[in-house]
Amino acid sequence: MRLAILLSGRGSNFVAIYEAVARGELTAEIVCVISNRPDAPGLERARKLGLPAHVVDHRTFASRADHEAEVLRIVGQANPDLIVLAGYMRLLSTEFVAAYPMRIVNIHPSLLPSFPGVDAQAQAVASGVKVSGCTVHFVDENLDAGPIIVQRTVPVHDDDDASTLAARILEEEHLAYVEALKKLASYRVDGRRVIFDS
Ligand code: GRF
């Protein structure tokens, strides 16, 4: 399974995926890493690991469409089976999503459909839920709304704030992304349900 990784920051989910591949737990190849931010620590990590790493800085393009066209060009050359969003802080256009239907995956730090959008962990704390977690899902034209692949849960403690909850969720994210990619070796999507062959 050929994976194109898109990220904007820290890149801990990318590294978790890389390490699962390196130890033979996940049969996959990371064929490119693209960051829209030149200073993303995840990009630096990709370079140090010797992976094909690209900066496509959105601030240097005249329009959103121009930026996306360049990302799509690089992704296309890498010929991935899946595009893996790992903390990629750009919304994808309908055209981008349509170019890779049910082949773009994202991870979100809440149990979707609860708490989509930014500051999901703070939303969870403020709402008083007792359980939260993370969701790996396909990307469709709506924000954090595509068919769900894997979810993992964590408790929300009385003394949690957004950052303590985020740290607890992040540990599960790393497991969830690897679990999801393993399952995506063979799958079909039936409406909103993702069904695995094994
Ligand atoms: C994660 O919390 C992920 O759920 C969200 O962005 C964050 C990325 O973290 N989409 P990292 O860059 O993978 O460390």
Side-chain angles (χ1 to χ4, degrees), residues 6-10 34-37 58 64 67 85-92 106-109 117-119:
L6 272 56
L7 54 76
S8 301
R10 182 174 57 185
I34 300 174
S35 173
N36 65 303
R37 300 195 61 99
H58 59 281
R64 173 175 288 274
H67 176 255
L85 307 185
Y88 187 60
M89 302 304 286
R90 304 277 299 169
L91 290 176
L92 302 184
N106 182 43
I107 190 158
H108 183 77
V118 294
D119 298 330

Side-chain angles (χ1 to χ4, degrees), residues 9-13 86-87 107-109 121 170 173:
R10 182 174 57 185
S12 72
N13 279 286
I107 190 158
H108 183 77
Q121 303 95 334
L170 190 65
E173 290 187 37

Side-chain angles (χ1 to χ4, degrees), residues 46-79:
R47 286 192 180 119
K48 288 206 173 114
L49 291 168
L51 296 170
H54 305 263
V55 180
V56 188
D57 185 345
H58 59 281
R59 295 167 303 186
T60 65
F61 289 81
S63 69
R64 173 175 288 274
D66 288 352
H67 176 255
E68 275 202 345
E70 178 62 3
V71 174
L72 275 172
R73 187 186 68 75
I74 295 170
V75 168
Q77 280 185 344
N79 191 28

Side-chain angles (χ1 to χ4, degrees), residues 67-173:
H67 176 255
E68 275 202 345
E70 178 62 3
V71 174
L72 275 172
R73 187 186 68 75
I74 295 170
V75 168
Q77 280 185 344
N79 191 28
D81 298 302
L82 290 175
I83 298 175
V84 178
L85 307 185
Y88 187 60
M89 302 304 286
R90 304 277 299 169
L91 290 176
L92 302 184
S93 70
T94 309
E95 292 74 24
F96 192 118
V97 173
Y100 291 91
M102 296 302 152
R103 286 172 57 201
I104 308 173
V105 294
N106 182 43
I107 190 158
H108 183 77
S110 76
L111 295 176
L112 292 172
S114 291
F115 316 127
V118 294
D119 298 330
Q121 303 95 334
Q123 291 184 58
V125 170
S127 78
V129 293
K130 303 299 186 195
V131 175
S132 190
C134 60
T135 303
V136 182
H137 64 95
F138 283 114
V139 174
D140 67 9
E141 58 284 358
N142 299 309
L143 179 66
D144 299 329
I148 289 171
I149 301 161
V150 160
Q151 293 184 303
R152 291 181 70 92
T153 60
V154 302
V156 181
H157 299 318
D158 292 347
D159 59 355
D160 267 333
D161 57 22
S163 105
T164 57
L165 180 59
R168 192 173 309 119
I169 292 173
L170 190 65
E171 288 183 28
E172 299 302 317
E173 290 187 37

